[in-house]
Amino acid sequence: MSKFVYLVPLFPLIGFLINGLGRKSLSKSMISVIGCGVMLASFVVSLLVFFDVKANGATTVELFSFIRSADFQIPFAFQVDQLSSLFLLIITGIGFLIHLYSAAYMHEEEEQHFGRYFAYLNLFVFSMLLLVLGANYVIMFIGWEGVGLCSYLLIGYWFKNDQYNYAAKKAFVMNRIGDLGFLLAVFWLLFKLGTVTYGDVFSRVSELSSFDITAITILLFVGAMGKSAQIPLYTWLPDAMAGPTPVSALIHAATMVTAGIYMIARSNILYTMAPVSQALVAIVGLATAIFAATIALKQNDIKKVLAYSTVSQLGYMFLGLGVGAYTGAVFHVMTHAFFKALLFLGAGSVIHAMHHEQDIRKMGGLKKHMPITHITFLLACLAIAGIPPFSGFFSKDEILMAAFSANPLYYYIGLVGALMTAFYMFRLYSLTFLGSFRGTHEQAHHLHESPSPMTIPLIVLAVLSVLGGFVGIPEVFASDAHSLENFLAPIFAESNKLAHAHHLTHSQEYIMMGVSTALIIGVIIFAVTKFKKAADVNDENTGVAKVLENKWYVDELYDNIIVKPLHLLSVFLKNILEKNIIDGVVNGVGKLVGYGSRQLRLLQSGQVGNYILVMVMVMVIFVLIWFNDITIMNFLKKLF
Amino acid sequence: MPIQYYIYLSLALFSIGIIGVLTRRNAIIVFMCIELMLNAVNLLLVAFSKMHHGTALATDAATTAGIDGQLFVFFIMVVAAAEVSVGLAIIVMMYRNIHSVDINFLNRLKN
Amino acid sequence: MIPVLLILLPLLTGIISFFIKEENAAKGWGLLSAVLTLTVAVAGIYFYPAAQLSFDSAWLPSLGSRFTMSMDGMSKMLVLLTAISFPLIFIATYKNQYRNAGSFYALMLLTQAGLMGVFVANDALLFYFFWELALIPVYFLCSLWGGEKRIAVTFKFFIYTFIGSLMMLAGILYMYFQTTDHSFAWQSFYSVQLAPEKQSWVFWLFFIAFAIKMPIFPFHTWQPDAYEQSPTATTMVLSGIMVKMGIFAVIKWLLPFFPAASAQFAQWIILLSVIGMLYASLIAIRQDDIKRLIAYSSIAHIGLMSATLFTGSRVGLEGVMIQMFNHGINVIGLWIVADAIEQQLGTRKFSELGGLAQKAPSLAILLLVMAFANIALPLTNAFIGEFLMFNGLFHYNIWITAVAGISIILAAVYTLNMVQKVFYGNTTTLTSNATDISGNIRIALVILVVLVIALGVYPQPMIDLTKDTVGATMAGK
């Protein structure tokens, strides 16, 4: 089955083409059937591929030779192995659910835009599949930029709103900064090894000097910073919430932003051999996790809270990668995809019911109006907070345990972040679903549970969020029950051999789990009781709270140290250097010639007599000069 | 007759021509002075041609050396004739247009 | 025989076109000629035996100049580019109104003849002849059909390029007197191989001529003005094909003759080019005029090509080759969009535009593809070229690559700026009555978009086409 893997990205591509070209002629129901149908087909093929890999192991499928240069060759090939097949399932599975959800969520759109939406969404899935399927860094880069493109298109989907367009542009440009790092790493690999195919790179990694590996891994990580919204390139992700909510769920929570984690997990052997880069990944991840969590504490836009939560959770994944817990990171990608997609879709359901109101201060008491959304949202909150036995608990726990064995400080900071996660999620939950309704009468009148195409994905994702963790039961509970680790073992085998993991004792693990769970439950109870009444939500924030509400003023900082100077420089170059200096020199030469010619023109008086006089005088002068010539003198003497 | 006399005469004619061209403003007189200069040159050419041919004949009775000077004179005469016809035509046109044959009046080229 | 046909066809049809009085007849005639040339080019390159691709006959025997032509991979590619571009340009501008259309098309076709000649000539004097033949019609096109500031701008353009041409002529003559057999043939020039210390000033004579044509910072100031003021069809020729003459000439008429000087001055030229890339990109960020933005963006792209040329890397050279083609295609696409907007709305200012995506969705989508090709998104043709070129640059120096790489970020900034300000947002009073593009523009753009994607997904035919030139250049021939 693996050799038919090209069908997986092919279906969304076909969907993109049909919906994109036929967006004016197809009806909405046709468009949704095509959009969702191709995803379902893709998911089915992915399942078959997944089980094939599980049974028969990894293969590479080469489609054609993409670039065949004199110095190197880059095939257009797909790597079908444990890691990519797992991601295939996540992408196509969640992708399908979100397509289904979109069909209902976006039903108010005009046909033409509805088609455009599904075309973009299908194109995104296609790109994302290329990203994870590529058998070399260049194919990965194609997907890498492709998802950036679709993210741009979908953030700016409502293109009449200039605010959204700015957000889209910001996302694309920040991603490009990261992409430059990625590209440089690719060039470095090509320069040193002459190949970018994973298999060749990883087997010949010993040919690289440690400086090379460190540089390559850091550059790749710069790429990951952009795509996965890590400090300092994270500010685009919260702004990206301008896109339709299902898009936020699919692209900016479940799939695209985890591309950086996928890439590092894929290159795990490089990172394992570059301790400096690993430490950098861990520290940046941890810093982002904490930093984003603090901002999330004070946000009032339901999607912004979730966005910062995503940034924070991505930070955890990078922490996992940085401490060598590759399986843990991938595991968290998976569980995060379930519960964060669920949270976003739940939020979408709420926004839908609230007629596009996103401010949680104006919600409250939605529990009784939207039972399914409420229950599923609560389950997702529990999962992300890390309450056993929900899925988030297992994956986050695995990362934190690994962090503890690498450096206890990582663990303590990570734990603080986890507590903050629990706090802001339940603040969000309480303000939205508990207490009494704070919106307008009209909104209150229209509150309703969403239609079934929206609730079915919620239910499916809720089940996954609850049960998803059981594929990775830690050893402390049952030996050899971590089926995900076993499945992924071939991918991380080399790294695990090199890394000298010192495992914690079982009693240590029990204590840590117990303490953290107790603390989290405490925080949840505190948050729920504090915000159930929602008494002070409208108060003006002061001090630290104000700084947090304003996101540490990072956007303003970037604006002042990068954007504005760049614009000033541009204006300076355009108006001063280009216009006056460079063109000034060119025009100056022209003017000089013009001036000289105007002066010389005065000699031309127009009087024929003057001209002849000058002519005669010049002739006389010539004759006088000749007179000095001896032979002429002699000739003349002889004559006269 | 010594060659010097011819030279003196043509020098005189040529100088009269130049001075006439430089000082007179009437186009017809300027034109006549130009003719004068041309004829001064013609005279000189003929004189030198005769002198050379004479000396060459002393050694070789069949020589043609020196006669090309006289050929030139014919050319100049032909050119002068053409020049007169064109030039006079120009002057006539000039008179028709500005009712004057004063060359200083025609200085519009200076701009 | 093919090269001669490629020159004669546009030359003769062009001369005939001078006598066509009726506007539509002139347009049809021009298009017919361009399509015929394209047919000959494609047939000649892909279906005829290679022997047909060269031609040799006596021309000016007393000077030692022969009418010699040949086509290597690079010539083939650029001939193809020229042959493909002209029909597309004619189609896209079919509805534009011209005074005296017969002469307009005649001059366009003469330009095409000159361009074809430049790309196939194998004799320095012939090369110079065609170089000028391509330039002079453009001068008339700009000065007779251009915008309101056309006289000053065209004059600047002409003086600029003419100074370059004269320097090249001086260089050619110097080289001619150095040849042992007093011949202008490429081979004779190549076998001169001046002593390294003598190469430098001749090198600069040639290089400045080509640098002005490309153009490289700081010789570029004629370009935005000329692009802005020329009739769009001419601008497309100028930026799509004519700037490639500079790069082509560096590869064919500079690098092989002066290897020592090229190596000696490489670092300065690369530095200049990279500065030019960033400089042009930065200026483009604050542009308010579509045409000027495209012009500066083009300078930035050419900067990368010229920098890569002098790195002496094989991969880089491969990249430059295909990028010459790709850049031509992409920039013509962008001009078509700019022209479509200007023809319809009478302005190119961002501040007066906006919201066009609501009114002209097809144009918006086609532009979007072109815009993303302009910023070298993967699976568009420009990615392949830039990828290979940056690779070559990386072989030369990592830091230069990193600095040059900033331009790909800036490219995203200014290109998306344009997309946003012209197509997104709300409609203005001007754009609220806009309509979508007409059929002819749609056809041209769709063809270009198909080319962009096809060459982005499967670039191998282009890489293979120019393989022999790359090999020869790398071997120092």
Side-chain angles (χ1 to χ4, degrees), chain A residues 23-24 64-72 74 76 112 120 126 130 138 141-142 145 149 152-153 159-162 165-166 169 172-173 176-177 180 183-184 186-188 190-191 566-567 569-571 573-574 577-578 582-583 586-587, chain C residues 156 160 217-218 220-221 279 282-283 285-287 296 314-315 318 357-358 361-362 365 368 372 375-379 383-384 387-388 390-391 394-395 401 405-406 408-409 412-413 416-417 420 424-426 456-460 463-464:
Chain A
R23 66 191 190 289
K24 282 181 189 156
F64 59 91
S65 170
F66 182 48
I67 301 177
R68 199 170 54 239
S69 150
D71 290 5
F72 53 77
I74 296 167
F76 203 104
Q112 188 183 341
Y120 288 166
F126 166 73
L130 273 192
V138 173
F141 187 73
I142 294 176
E145 288 256 278
L149 164 72
Y152 166 80
L153 294 172
F159 55 72
K160 283 186 200 168
N161 185 328
D162 260 331
N165 292 324
Y166 278 115
K169 198 173 76 183
F172 193 84
V173 170
R176 270 249 147 170
I177 298 173
L180 177 60
L183 263 186
L184 288 175
V186 171
F187 296 148
W188 204 309
L190 274 178
F191 182 47
L566 203 65
H567 278 187
L569 181 65
S570 172
V571 170
L573 291 178
K574 177 177 164 235
L577 192 62
E578 174 87 352
I582 296 185
D583 222 18
V586 174
N587 290 338
Chain C
K156 184 164 153 191
Y160 238 125
F217 172 87
H220 65 275
T221 55
Y279 176 83
L282 279 170
I283 287 184
I285 290 179
R286 294 300 277 184
Q287 279 301 339
Y296 279 104
R314 180 187 294 269
V315 192
E318 282 176 336
Q358 296 164 45
S362 307
I365 287 164
L368 212 56
F372 280 104
I375 57 181
L377 202 81
L379 295 189
F383 170 71
I384 313 294
F387 181 79
L388 294 174
F390 271 114
N391 233 313
F394 196 88
H395 284 237
T401 317
I406 294 174
I408 64 176
I409 300 170
V413 176
L416 296 186
N417 239 343
Q420 180 189 343
Y424 295 159
N426 273 315
V457 176
Y458 193 59
Q460 206 53 46
I463 299 178
D464 290 341

Side-chain angles (χ1 to χ4, degrees), chain A residues 410-476:
Chain A
Y410 289 170
Y411 173 78
Y412 294 123
I413 300 176
L415 185 60
V416 173
L419 297 180
M420 284 196 266
T421 308
F423 181 81
Y424 64 68
M425 284 317 300
F426 277 89
R427 170 175 175 266
L428 177 66
Y429 167 75
S430 312
L431 288 177
T432 311
F433 291 100
L434 305 182
S436 52
F437 188 68
R438 295 180 294 277
T440 61
H441 277 292
E442 201 187 338
Q443 282 171 331
H445 191 66
H446 284 105
L447 284 178
H448 59 281
E449 180 59 280
S450 302
S452 58
M454 284 168 76
T455 49
I456 290 168
L458 291 180
I459 295 166
V460 174
L461 284 170
V463 171
L464 287 169
S465 301
V466 173
L467 302 178
F470 290 105
V471 299
I473 298 166
E475 208 174 349
V476 60

Side-chain angles (χ1 to χ4, degrees), chain C residues 126-345:
Chain C
L126 202 60
F127 172 73
Y128 181 77
F129 172 79
F130 283 120
W131 181 277
E132 293 299 322
L133 181 63
L135 170 66
I136 289 164
V138 169
Y139 171 77
F140 285 109
L141 285 167
C142 300
S143 59
L144 295 176
W145 286 272
E148 50 204 51
K149 286 189 287 181
R150 61 180 183 271
I151 300 296
V153 165
T154 324
F155 194 62
K156 184 164 153 191
F157 159 69
F158 187 74
I159 295 291
Y160 238 125
T161 44
F162 206 71
I163 287 175
S165 302
L166 286 182
M167 292 175 90
M168 177 169 76
L169 183 62
I172 288 177
L173 289 178
Y174 179 82
M175 288 297 285
Y176 169 69
F177 288 116
Q178 303 300 312
T179 52
T180 46
D181 51 349
H182 282 271
S183 141
F184 283 102
W186 187 92
Q187 268 306 329
S188 313
F189 273 37
Y190 173 65
S191 48
V192 169
Q193 291 303 339
L194 293 171
E197 63 276 10
K198 281 191 189 163
Q199 286 184 9
S200 53
W201 68 273
V202 199
F203 171 83
W204 284 108
L205 282 180
F206 278 93
F207 178 72
I208 290 179
F210 303 151
I212 289 173
K213 206 76 175 184
M214 283 194 235
I216 296 179
F217 172 87
F219 305 110
H220 65 275
T221 55
W222 63 268
Q223 199 199 32
D225 290 340
Y227 285 7
E228 188 188 353
Q229 294 297 326
S230 305
T232 316
T234 313
T235 308
M236 291 176 199
V237 176
L238 267 176
S239 62
I241 315 170
M242 210 166 259
V243 298
K244 311 301 177 305
M245 275 164 57
I247 296 162
F248 167 85
V250 167
I251 298 174
K252 182 162 178 181
W253 295 94
L254 186 75
L255 295 178
F257 301 159
F258 313 108
S262 307
Q264 188 190 343
F265 299 118
Q267 48 179 333
W268 298 108
I269 293 168
I270 292 172
L271 196 67
L272 214 58
S273 308
V274 171
I275 291 175
M277 282 170 79
L278 295 183
Y279 176 83
S281 307
L282 279 170
I283 287 184
I285 290 179
R286 294 300 277 184
Q287 279 301 339
D288 189 39
D289 182 308
I290 306 177
K291 279 191 164 182
R292 290 187 82 84
L293 184 134
I294 301 173
Y296 279 104
S297 143
S298 177
I299 294 174
H301 287 121
I302 298 290
L304 178 60
M305 292 190 219
S306 73
T308 315
L309 272 183
F310 285 89
T311 57
S313 109
R314 180 187 294 269
V315 192
L317 198 58
E318 282 176 336
V320 173
M321 294 285 173
I322 57 170
Q323 192 66 357
M324 278 197 268
F325 189 88
N326 294 339
H327 177 261
I329 297 285
N330 296 352
V331 88
I332 288 174
L334 288 175
W335 287 122
I336 291 176
V337 175
D339 187 47
I341 294 170
E342 195 187 359
Q343 290 290 330
Q344 192 187 124
L345 302 170

Side-chain angles (χ1 to χ4, degrees), chain A residues 5 28 93 100 164 176 220 236 256 290 413 427 448 632:
Chain A
V5 70
K28 273 196 218 176
L100 192 63
Y164 293 180
R176 270 249 147 170
L220 282 175
W236 66 268
M256 181 184 93
I290 287 289
I413 300 176
R427 170 175 175 266
H448 59 281
I632 295 176

